[in-house]
Amino acid sequence: MTKQFRIAVIPGDGIGPEVIDAALPALEAAAATEGARMNWHRLPYGADHYLATGETLPDAGFAELRDGVDGILLGALGDPRVPDNQHARDILLGLRFRLDLYVNFRPCRLLHPALCPLRERDPRTPGRSIDFAIFRENTEGGYLGQGTAEHVGTAEERQVTHEIHTAPKVTRILRAAFEWAKANGRTRITMSDKSNAVPAHRLWGRLFAEVGAAYPDITQEHRYVDALAMELVRDPERFQVIVTNNLFGDILSDLGAELVGGLGLAASANIHPGRPGLFEPVHGSAPTIAGRGIANPLASILSGSLLLDHLGLAGAAERLTAAVRADLDAGVTTPDLGGTASTTEVGRWITAWLQHSRS
Ligand code: NAD
Ligand code: IPM
Ligand code: MN
């Protein structure tokens, strides 16, 4: 019997609809290799919808995303016509918070050696093998937007945004990182904060030691985030799992993306283990290249692979990643990776590869 999945799709703004349109057929083809069928449920939320209706994420839409789907695939949100980013806050951050998707999982894996921008330190080494995963806390830190604004627009303006770190929420992201490391044969985990300057971050050190006590086989280390940024460029191979707060995870994930080919390839999963999740490329709406058919759809396709895996279709997820590797080997890439293919052509190549390689 065919397994059926109902997936909400929010293409969003800018290049979002372009990369999502290229990704959906590839996901369908990958799911089909495991006898599964994807039923897309396309939702209009984004800047156009907001500007036309004043609605960001209506209650009925939220209820459906919470109760009526097996997962959510999102393109990108962000539009110069909405300078305060209100719709993205309500839709993207709103879904992360309100669905309590506390793990923002952002793998940084080098799928083709030529994609790494770092010079080889040892020319005899045939290639690099960067492969680490960032576990970004996804429900608090500075992102809740709680605080005060006084004397706005005057010379005395004072803005306060609270950075919130609570023990249960820090504990659960730390545990998720350890559990993933254990389940995936990783032997080292790096926790990053800025506790030498931001007192609230000291909580992370205490809880890292407490949670880590249950994982004696995993080497546990700490890095201040400034030093980690430096070391990620100097020696990315040594990292396996990085766990950190919401803001640092955001910044480190763009750095991590660039180490393995750029934002055009970086995928993410926003999850609460055991529940439906939200899957999206790490990149934004890239307004300056929107509408030109040159956006790289691989980040969306790889986010789709994370979705398939989360749905229990591990084989299909692996096929999809294999198809991306084959595409990179064949050099069918968009201009950000040095190629001349369009967004649509990359999607079609991957879809055809999956259809023809089916056994
Ligand atoms: P961005 O990720 O949109 O773009 C950064 C750079 O990467 C740009 O040079 C862009 O052209 C390039 N780029 C990004 N994705 C690409 C792709 N798939 N193919 C080729 N090149 C790609 O970040 P930004 O410029 O800082 O933000 C633009 C808007 O997107 C803002 O409104 C921002 O708030 C929003 N944003 C949204 C998300 C999200 O929806 N998850 C993430 C980041 C930024
Ligand atoms: C990301 C984005 C978002 C974030 C923005 C658009 C709010 O940069 O998903 O990485 O900071 O989480
Ligand atoms: Mn980001």
Side-chain angles (χ1 to χ4, degrees), residues 230-300:
M230 174 275 293
E231 210 174 338
L232 272 172
V233 174
R234 194 179 67 194
D235 191 12
E237 271 92 349
R238 78 177 296 287
F239 295 98
Q240 300 184 17
V241 178
I242 293 171
V243 60
T244 190
N245 66 62
N246 206 339
L247 180 60
F248 293 173
D250 177 46
I251 298 166
L252 292 173
S253 57
D254 274 31
L255 171 55
E258 195 59 30
L259 292 171
V260 297
L263 283 172
L265 279 157
S268 80
N270 301 265
I271 55 177
H272 184 127
R275 298 188 192 168
L278 163 65
F279 300 80
E280 46 156 353
V282 171
H283 66 70
S285 55
T288 56
I289 61 163
R292 292 166 52 196
I294 56 168
N296 190 343
L298 295 180
S300 292

Side-chain angles (χ1 to χ4, degrees), residues 46-256:
D48 283 342
H49 185 77
Y50 175 50
L51 292 168
T53 65
E55 197 174 68
T56 54
L57 178 59
D59 288 343
F62 173 72
E64 198 193 349
L65 291 168
R66 185 189 53 204
D67 304 323
V69 297
D70 299 306
I72 307 168
L73 186 67
L74 186 142
L77 290 164
D79 188 298
R81 295 169 298 165
V82 189
D84 66 0
N85 213 27
Q86 186 56 47
H87 70 301
R89 285 195 65 81
D90 287 2
I91 301 167
L92 178 60
L93 301 184
L95 286 170
R96 290 177 185 168
F97 298 155
R98 295 168 74 189
L99 297 175
D100 200 30
L101 304 172
Y102 66 90
V103 178
N104 195 328
F105 174 70
R106 297 186 154 185
C108 301
R109 180 152 58 128
L110 188 61
L111 295 179
H112 190 290
L115 292 171
C116 180
L118 302 178
R119 131 182 90 83
E120 280 299 340
R121 283 154 306 160
D122 181 350
R124 290 165 302 180
T125 310
R128 312 193 64 126
S129 57
I130 301 168
D131 186 4
F132 61 89
I134 296 173
F135 279 75
R136 167 185 176 188
E137 201 291 321
N138 216 22
T139 58
E140 52 176 11
Y143 274 68
L144 287 169
Q146 295 177 10
T148 54
E150 295 167 78
H151 314 298
V152 177
T154 74
E156 306 303 319
E157 180 161 346
R158 181 178 148 83
Q159 293 283 349
V160 178
T161 299
H162 295 298
E163 202 182 297
I164 300 166
H165 304 268
T166 55
K169 295 192 170 173
V170 176
T171 300
R172 66 182 181 174
I173 185 69
L174 291 168
R175 194 165 284 139
F178 274 107
E179 280 300 310
W180 185 86
K182 190 173 155 187
N184 289 275
R186 306 301 167 106
T187 54
R188 181 187 294 132
I189 182 161
T190 308
M191 188 278 283
S192 187
D193 61 30
K194 189 66 188 166
S195 55
N196 52 348
V198 181
H201 291 190
R202 288 183 207 143
L203 177 62
W204 283 74
R206 171 167 79 80
L207 297 175
F208 185 53
E210 275 180 33
V211 173
Y215 303 87
D217 297 337
I218 299 178
T219 304
Q220 301 164 29
E221 63 180 20
H222 169 262
R223 289 289 186 277
Y224 296 119
V225 71
D226 47 353
L228 177 58
M230 174 275 293
E231 210 174 338
L232 272 172
V233 174
R234 194 179 67 194
D235 191 12
E237 271 92 349
R238 78 177 296 287
F239 295 98
Q240 300 184 17
V241 178
I242 293 171
V243 60
T244 190
N245 66 62
N246 206 339
L247 180 60
F248 293 173
D250 177 46
I251 298 166
L252 292 173
S253 57
D254 274 31
L255 171 55

